[in-house]
Amino acid sequence: MICMHDQKLSQAVRWLKNRRSQRIELSVPVVVHRPPSDGPQFYEATQTLVVSAHGALMALTAMVATKQRLLVQNTGSGEQQECRVVYVKQEQTGPPRVALEFTRPAPSFWRIAFPPADWAAST
């Protein structure tokens, strides 16, 4: 008999194996904004919670929706990447958590000295 805990554990293991790249908890100052051609402008300074070669998780107060196109600028380097919203989770308190995916993998965007081996840009 399989208990509920074992089912959740096997789902989590499967989910981790399907990841394209490792995720790292890292606070990077960024500015998020909407491209001028995509509607009303907003600029929001925030910090990442988690980063990967394919994007990041952050808290955003601006109203965004899945599949929406945004631009993220790394405040430290000035580099900017186009991305799309892949997930929005409203928290009980505080701003929603928003997962952004780069339109193209950008393992060097976060300026991590030694990115994990699975952060190759070949996806």
Side-chain angles (χ1 to χ4, degrees), residues 1-19:
M1 180 172 166
I2 298 175
C3 74
M4 185 63 84
H5 173 73
D6 291 340
Q7 282 182 322
K8 286 183 181 179
L9 185 60
S10 67
Q11 287 173 343
V13 168
R14 226 178 10 256
W15 181 66
L16 285 170
K17 285 182 181 179
N18 290 333
R19 292 235 176 263

Side-chain angles (χ1 to χ4, degrees), residues 9-69:
L9 185 60
S10 67
Q11 287 173 343
V13 168
R14 226 178 10 256
W15 181 66
L16 285 170
K17 285 182 181 179
N18 290 333
R19 292 235 176 263
R20 292 176 290 175
S21 63
Q22 181 179 349
R23 292 180 177 191
I24 298 170
E25 287 186 38
L26 184 66
S27 178
V28 177
V30 294
V31 174
V32 180
H33 58 101
R34 183 178 290 126
S37 60
D38 287 3
Q41 289 298 287
F42 77 87
Y43 290 84
E44 184 171 338
T46 188
Q47 295 185 355
T48 61
L49 302 169
V50 177
V51 301
S52 78
H54 297 279
L57 177 69
M58 61 192 70
L60 282 180
T61 58
M63 295 297 290
V64 296
T66 56
K67 299 183 182 178
Q68 181 177 354
R69 202 167 59 111

Side-chain angles (χ1 to χ4, degrees), residues 47-102:
Q47 295 185 355
T48 61
L49 302 169
V50 177
V51 301
S52 78
H54 297 279
L57 177 69
M58 61 192 70
L60 282 180
T61 58
M63 295 297 290
V64 296
T66 56
K67 299 183 182 178
Q68 181 177 354
R69 202 167 59 111
L70 297 174
L71 298 170
V72 175
Q73 182 174 16
N74 182 324
T75 305
S77 69
E79 184 180 351
Q80 184 170 275
Q81 282 286 7
E82 182 180 307
C83 55
R84 68 183 178 95
V85 177
V86 292
Y87 178 76
V88 178
K89 180 183 181 199
Q90 183 61 52
E91 298 293 322
Q92 286 186 342
T93 60
R97 291 188 180 216
V98 178
L100 301 176
E101 176 183 57
F102 297 138

Side-chain angles (χ1 to χ4, degrees), residues 108-123:
S108 65
F109 183 76
W110 304 115
R111 303 300 193 256
I112 296 173
F114 299 103
D118 66 352
W119 278 33
S122 63
T123 298

